[in-house]
Amino acid sequence: QVQLQESGPGLVKPSQTLSLTCTVSGGSITTNYYYWSWIRQPPGKGLEWIGYIAYSGSTYYSPSLKSRTSISRNTSKNQFTLQLSSVTPEDTAVYYCASTSDSDYATLPQLYEYDYWGQGTQVTVSS
């Protein structure tokens, strides 16, 4: 059973870089045809897809966040990391990591479209 767990600071100051890590157990992030996504849900709003890193290491980001987003991976630790730069209070959200073996679903915001997802972690942007 694949399990995903988000970790990182719960509070980030405006203009700083948000950095979150997703640790994967029960499966490898290099398994063929799996996509590893980041998704967020601001308070009172719907889910928003941020980007993914594929089994090959290639990345793809939401056009609206692309200029501020970077997703990388550490295969030796079986982790992938989200960095979101120049954050503002509008980046306050619950952040989720998720995975799917279907490339058609890898850019969707709804967690139920994924094979596996973490429980989410709250990140607040505030001074």
Side-chain angles (χ1 to χ4, degrees), residues 40-99:
R40 68 180 184 180
Q41 185 167 29
K45 298 185 179 180
L47 291 160
E48 179 183 22
W49 177 77
I50 300 169
Y52 70 63
I53 186 163
Y55 59 97
S56 61
S58 63
T59 55
Y60 184 63
Y61 304 126
S62 167
S64 64
L65 295 169
K66 181 178 181 180
S67 64
R68 299 194 291 128
T69 304
S70 177
I71 299 176
S72 59
R73 68 181 184 176
N74 184 326
T75 56
S76 64
K77 293 184 177 181
N78 214 34
Q79 297 173 331
F80 62 105
T81 298
L82 167 70
Q83 291 193 306
L84 185 66
S85 64
S86 305
V87 297
T88 71
E90 291 189 347
D91 293 309
T92 294
V94 177
Y95 285 76
Y96 299 90
C97 54
S99 68

Side-chain angles (χ1 to χ4, degrees), residues 33-49:
Y33 313 123
Y34 265 84
Y35 298 81
W36 306 88
S37 292
W38 285 99
I39 295 158
R40 68 180 184 180
Q41 185 167 29
K45 298 185 179 180
L47 291 160
E48 179 183 22
W49 177 77

